[in-house]
Amino acid sequence: MMEDYEDLFSDPLPLPPPPLARGLQERLDELRSVGCCRKIAWSKMGCIAYISTDGKELHLATLLHHKKKGIWDLHLHTDPTLVDHIMRTFKGRELAHLSWNPSGSELLVADIYGRLAICTIVIAMNRLTVSKTWNDPDNYMNSLVGLFWLNVKKVVPLYRSAVRQDGQWNYAVTQQETKGPYNPWATKSPLSAMVIVSRGGSVRLVYQGPDNSWHDVRHEIDDFATTNELLTHAALCPDRGDSLLLAVHTTGKQLRLYRATIDWQQPAGKEPASSEPKISFQHLETIDDCCPMLDYTTQNQETYTLPSSEAQLSHIELLAQAADPRSKESASPTILATFSYLPNQYSVSGVHELPYTILSRWVMRNVESTLHSVFGSLTSKKSSSPVRLKESAALVRLQDVRIDHVAIDIQQVLLSNAIAVAYSDGSVDLRDRFIMQSMATDEGMDKVTSLIQVGFGFQATDPCLHVALSPNTCVKAFFGHEHEPKMVNAQLVNRDIDIQHNIFTEKATAAFVLHNATAGFNNNNNDDLLLTMQDYMTHLPPDESLAQRNKMEQDFLRDLYRTLNVNLDQSTDPQSDKLLRYPMLQRCLSLQAALGNRSDKVPRSVISKVAWVMMNLRMIALTFAFAFAKSGSAPEGSSELSKPEIMQAMIGLARWSMTLTDYIVDQLFELKRCIEPDQGFEMNVIWERIRATRSPALLLLLTSTARTFLRYNCRGLRGLSTLSSTHLDQQHPHSHPSALLAPSHALSEIFASAHLPPRALESLFLETDSLVKHAYAAAQPTISEQRQQVLEREMLVSGEVPEVLWGVVERVLGKGGLLERVGEREGVSEGELFFGGFEELGLDEDLRTREWWARRTVDEVRKIVLRKKPTDGEEMGSGEWKGTLKLRTCLRCGAVMEDLLPSKGASGWVMSLQRTCFCGGFWMV
């Protein structure tokens, strides 16, 4: 009987392979026929463009943080008016390819006939304007098979690793200069240029001239005589001497390598000459049979043999020469070809095959040739040294790599130091470009190189056909046969990892610092990193999540400020101008504010409030600096404030600034009242009150960077007060009195209703400065200058005042202290301050503040109420709720402002300051 059962269950039939993704065969056919068919692209600025599955529609999407829920999602901008003007240029023809320029501000859209449209982002991420179109006739020979945007000349910092030494992570940075050729007129402004290769073998140089207008020239690579020599794929990369390497693949399975040189016909920086740029080509090498190897070894050391005709080319990439971190030598330029194989699922042979992908590589080597020694005897002068000929290039083949998945996309990431391979099952594999092996998790405790090495990755999700990776390679947007794209962020691949272990959390924190530092110096949008970090924090163990989250936030911010060289110590030698213009400060403050602002249900942390106030103060300080500067369009000797529209713009900023300083003084009096006169000064009582109320007032006063901003703004407020009084007292000689009268009246009322005038506030901050300087000086040499910088950074990151400044707190809040003297001198009423309205600031979480914001739409950049919803029994006023307002919304913090497009004659600095939110986030409309 048992023998019968053994016969029944022995030699089981092989299970059939899992079903393929719907539309995968069609997608592979498209990838094999033409090299440029990307249907979704993600710019460095954060905008996602994608083409519908039928190719008839273009859509936009962005990452959006929902302030109320505290979550991120992929927001699809479905308003057809956003892209209708782009679609009209193609007259209903099928779209084929999308590509963003290196900065992420310009989008190239191409149809199946190679017709082009270049679109530019205008202030909001989902608003594109058409900069240039080319209406070429319908011809498949013009279809795009290769495209390369020229780099902008700059030095790019790259943070390669973090190493733990003496309990501290040290972040190693290398400088990497982008390689030419460059647009010669991009010396003062970032002008774009690109090289496009068509199916018929023509190369097209599209570039911007010094007047920002677009031009193009065309040249032929070779004289293609037969249809077997039509191109299917092409790739380009920078090479030595500001030239380009060009690899093309033909329908006859030839792989050809060329060197392309661009002659711009004029010196860099000069006006364009009458003649057009020219492109010359030098043929380097040809491989007649571009196919996978017949025998190759997988990463598991298994040997395979297959017919070369099974797998067909689907992608080709050219990897530029780069420094290999494992050795002192540079890796040579490499051609990477991807071959994919999809078995017949309906085969009647009974043999179930699995799909696979093969990565084939050819490295370019320079070969030095010499003449045979016999040729030396033919000359009259005998020479023992061989005659050397000109160097030539040769392609040396490396071992192929087989992957048991179908690759649908290949992207160069991490400044071309890694290759991201996306598969049809939704997984993404990052591979080292030098050895082409997966960047696997490293369990070492003292070195971190990336999120992938720590243990993050993209596992198989829904089947997909089109994929785009975020600017920092930690979020992917994808869609399959269905139309709408989805979003997935990198997560821990191995869920068995003990994330409660402090060492692993420290490694993850160091990896986030590495990526954010690189993103900061390369102007990459880092919303994807913020999303991934916040998602990781939500998966911390519930019993210790709050403590671990707070520690991770503080460790992250502490290392990020240090790595980006943000000097937070302004107590000894304040440099407000450098502080205002250093963009890394805004990036760090933005992350600090966002990490501590989780949702409407969770109170914002103190350090988040401090960062939020500091970003607003920085924006207002920049506005004051530009407003008081001499204007080229104003009468001689006048500032921008001689313009009525500029004076009008100062009203909201002045009111908000005066409200903030009143709030700080009120909160300081509140802390002062907590001190029992008979018990003396106790710092613990102050801390308990701050923790209970989450008030940022004391930290804003003691943190030197925030105090510098406050003092700088007080100077601006004092100037506005004087100027408004001047306009009211006498006619201004260079303006119309009636135009300046209304804003001057409004500003005078603001300063008159304030509890402390700007002069007294400036005195308060200056005297606090003096107290802090004396406290640090008295602590020397115990507290060195370097230690002082650490204490200032720690105060901003942890929200705790260092012990060396406890005496300053007592001299400010104690009996007969600075606060009391200023209040008596200016006649400040604590009662009036206590019942004053500070809801506009949004710093409190009480019911009154929430109701105030629920009933109003506030322009949080210009600090004005745009509309107000009346309460029961209240009639509609001039700022009625009815009607429509064109608004911009910040994708990160959710702040809104009125959507004001640039007008003729408007000051350029005004629009420049309003291009992004005060937090540095980008807008959507």
PDB file of all heavy atoms in Angstrom, residues 43 98 136 354 401 515 591 780 782 797 822 831 917:
ATOM      1  N   SER A  43      11.859  64.528 -12.065  1.00  0.00           N
ATOM      2  CA  SER A  43      12.890  65.554 -12.123  1.00  0.00           C
ATOM      3  C   SER A  43      13.557  65.730 -10.768  1.00  0.00           C
ATOM      4  O   SER A  43      13.009  65.359  -9.726  1.00  0.00           O
ATOM      5  CB  SER A  43      12.290  66.890 -12.576  1.00  0.00           C
ATOM      6  OG  SER A  43      11.694  67.569 -11.488  1.00  0.00           O
ATOM      7  N   LEU A  98       9.869  61.010 -22.551  1.00  0.00           N
ATOM      8  CA  LEU A  98      10.002  62.138 -21.641  1.00  0.00           C
ATOM      9  C   LEU A  98      11.412  62.155 -21.078  1.00  0.00           C
ATOM     10  O   LEU A  98      11.983  61.099 -20.780  1.00  0.00           O
ATOM     11  CB  LEU A  98       9.001  62.041 -20.486  1.00  0.00           C
ATOM     12  CG  LEU A  98       7.513  61.999 -20.830  1.00  0.00           C
ATOM     13  CD1 LEU A  98       6.699  61.679 -19.578  1.00  0.00           C
ATOM     14  CD2 LEU A  98       7.060  63.330 -21.433  1.00  0.00           C
ATOM     15  N   ASP A 136       8.284  69.264 -37.253  1.00  0.00           N
ATOM     16  CA  ASP A 136       8.840  68.519 -38.377  1.00  0.00           C
ATOM     17  C   ASP A 136       7.764  67.644 -39.005  1.00  0.00           C
ATOM     18  O   ASP A 136       6.782  67.264 -38.344  1.00  0.00           O
ATOM     19  CB  ASP A 136      10.002  67.647 -37.901  1.00  0.00           C
ATOM     20  CG  ASP A 136      11.131  68.477 -37.316  1.00  0.00           C
ATOM     21  OD1 ASP A 136      11.295  69.610 -37.772  1.00  0.00           O
ATOM     22  OD2 ASP A 136      11.817  67.995 -36.392  1.00  0.00           O
ATOM     23  N   LEU A 354      11.730  30.127 -17.403  1.00  0.00           N
ATOM     24  CA  LEU A 354      11.582  31.365 -16.645  1.00  0.00           C
ATOM     25  C   LEU A 354      12.156  32.523 -17.450  1.00  0.00           C
ATOM     26  O   LEU A 354      13.145  32.351 -18.173  1.00  0.00           O
ATOM     27  CB  LEU A 354      12.304  31.269 -15.300  1.00  0.00           C
ATOM     28  CG  LEU A 354      11.728  30.269 -14.292  1.00  0.00           C
ATOM     29  CD1 LEU A 354      12.631  30.209 -13.062  1.00  0.00           C
ATOM     30  CD2 LEU A 354      10.314  30.656 -13.894  1.00  0.00           C
ATOM     31  N   VAL A 401      26.295  38.978 -16.939  1.00  0.00           N
ATOM     32  CA  VAL A 401      25.590  38.729 -15.675  1.00  0.00           C
ATOM     33  C   VAL A 401      24.150  38.379 -15.999  1.00  0.00           C
ATOM     34  O   VAL A 401      23.467  39.117 -16.712  1.00  0.00           O
ATOM     35  CB  VAL A 401      25.641  39.964 -14.751  1.00  0.00           C
ATOM     36  CG1 VAL A 401      24.847  39.706 -13.479  1.00  0.00           C
ATOM     37  CG2 VAL A 401      27.083  40.323 -14.419  1.00  0.00           C
ATOM     38  N   HIS A 515      22.754  60.776   2.425  1.00  0.00           N
ATOM     39  CA  HIS A 515      21.946  61.097   1.247  1.00  0.00           C
ATOM     40  C   HIS A 515      21.475  62.548   1.276  1.00  0.00           C
ATOM     41  O   HIS A 515      21.442  63.217   0.234  1.00  0.00           O
ATOM     42  CB  HIS A 515      20.752  60.153   1.171  1.00  0.00           C
ATOM     43  CG  HIS A 515      21.101  58.767   0.722  1.00  0.00           C
ATOM     44  ND1 HIS A 515      21.203  58.418  -0.600  1.00  0.00           N
ATOM     45  CD2 HIS A 515      21.376  57.640   1.421  1.00  0.00           C
ATOM     46  CE1 HIS A 515      21.535  57.136  -0.701  1.00  0.00           C
ATOM     47  NE2 HIS A 515      21.646  56.640   0.516  1.00  0.00           N
ATOM     48  N   LEU A 591      13.996  70.562   7.395  1.00  0.00           N
ATOM     49  CA  LEU A 591      13.879  69.180   7.850  1.00  0.00           C
ATOM     50  C   LEU A 591      13.552  69.125   9.341  1.00  0.00           C
ATOM     51  O   LEU A 591      12.745  68.285   9.783  1.00  0.00           O
ATOM     52  CB  LEU A 591      15.176  68.429   7.569  1.00  0.00           C
ATOM     53  CG  LEU A 591      15.465  68.123   6.097  1.00  0.00           C
ATOM     54  CD1 LEU A 591      16.889  67.631   5.919  1.00  0.00           C
ATOM     55  CD2 LEU A 591      14.475  67.104   5.559  1.00  0.00           C
ATOM     56  N   GLN A 780      35.652  80.150  29.766  1.00  0.00           N
ATOM     57  CA  GLN A 780      36.916  79.749  29.141  1.00  0.00           C
ATOM     58  C   GLN A 780      37.982  79.548  30.217  1.00  0.00           C
ATOM     59  O   GLN A 780      37.943  80.192  31.267  1.00  0.00           O
ATOM     60  CB  GLN A 780      37.365  80.829  28.152  1.00  0.00           C
ATOM     61  CG  GLN A 780      36.485  80.947  26.930  1.00  0.00           C
ATOM     62  CD  GLN A 780      36.955  82.033  25.969  1.00  0.00           C
ATOM     63  OE1 GLN A 780      37.867  82.789  26.279  1.00  0.00           O
ATOM     64  NE2 GLN A 780      36.328  82.105  24.805  1.00  0.00           N
ATOM     65  N   THR A 782      37.563  76.292  29.858  1.00  0.00           N
ATOM     66  CA  THR A 782      36.814  75.021  29.904  1.00  0.00           C
ATOM     67  C   THR A 782      35.971  74.840  28.650  1.00  0.00           C
ATOM     68  O   THR A 782      35.890  73.740  28.090  1.00  0.00           O
ATOM     69  CB  THR A 782      35.913  75.001  31.148  1.00  0.00           C
ATOM     70  OG1 THR A 782      36.717  75.233  32.313  1.00  0.00           O
ATOM     71  CG2 THR A 782      35.203  73.671  31.269  1.00  0.00           C
ATOM     72  N   VAL A 797      19.079  71.714  18.488  1.00  0.00           N
ATOM     73  CA  VAL A 797      18.641  70.375  18.117  1.00  0.00           C
ATOM     74  C   VAL A 797      17.862  69.691  19.241  1.00  0.00           C
ATOM     75  O   VAL A 797      16.842  69.036  19.008  1.00  0.00           O
ATOM     76  CB  VAL A 797      19.862  69.523  17.703  1.00  0.00           C
ATOM     77  CG1 VAL A 797      19.499  68.054  17.602  1.00  0.00           C
ATOM     78  CG2 VAL A 797      20.421  70.029  16.387  1.00  0.00           C
ATOM     79  N   VAL A 822      13.245  96.133  31.150  1.00  0.00           N
ATOM     80  CA  VAL A 822      12.719  96.585  29.861  1.00  0.00           C
ATOM     81  C   VAL A 822      11.228  96.854  29.962  1.00  0.00           C
ATOM     82  O   VAL A 822      10.711  97.846  29.419  1.00  0.00           O
ATOM     83  CB  VAL A 822      13.028  95.552  28.759  1.00  0.00           C
ATOM     84  CG1 VAL A 822      12.309  95.904  27.458  1.00  0.00           C
ATOM     85  CG2 VAL A 822      14.516  95.447  28.523  1.00  0.00           C
ATOM     86  N   GLY A 831      -0.792  92.207  31.710  1.00  0.00           N
ATOM     87  CA  GLY A 831      -2.170  91.797  31.485  1.00  0.00           C
ATOM     88  C   GLY A 831      -2.580  91.946  30.030  1.00  0.00           C
ATOM     89  O   GLY A 831      -3.226  91.063  29.452  1.00  0.00           O
ATOM     90  N   CYS A 917       8.475  78.201  -1.078  1.00  0.00           N
ATOM     91  CA  CYS A 917       7.915  78.510   0.235  1.00  0.00           C
ATOM     92  C   CYS A 917       9.038  78.941   1.175  1.00  0.00           C
ATOM     93  O   CYS A 917      10.229  78.704   0.919  1.00  0.00           O
ATOM     94  CB  CYS A 917       7.205  77.277   0.778  1.00  0.00           C
ATOM     95  SG  CYS A 917       6.494  77.473   2.431  1.00  0.00           S
TER      96      CYS A 917
END
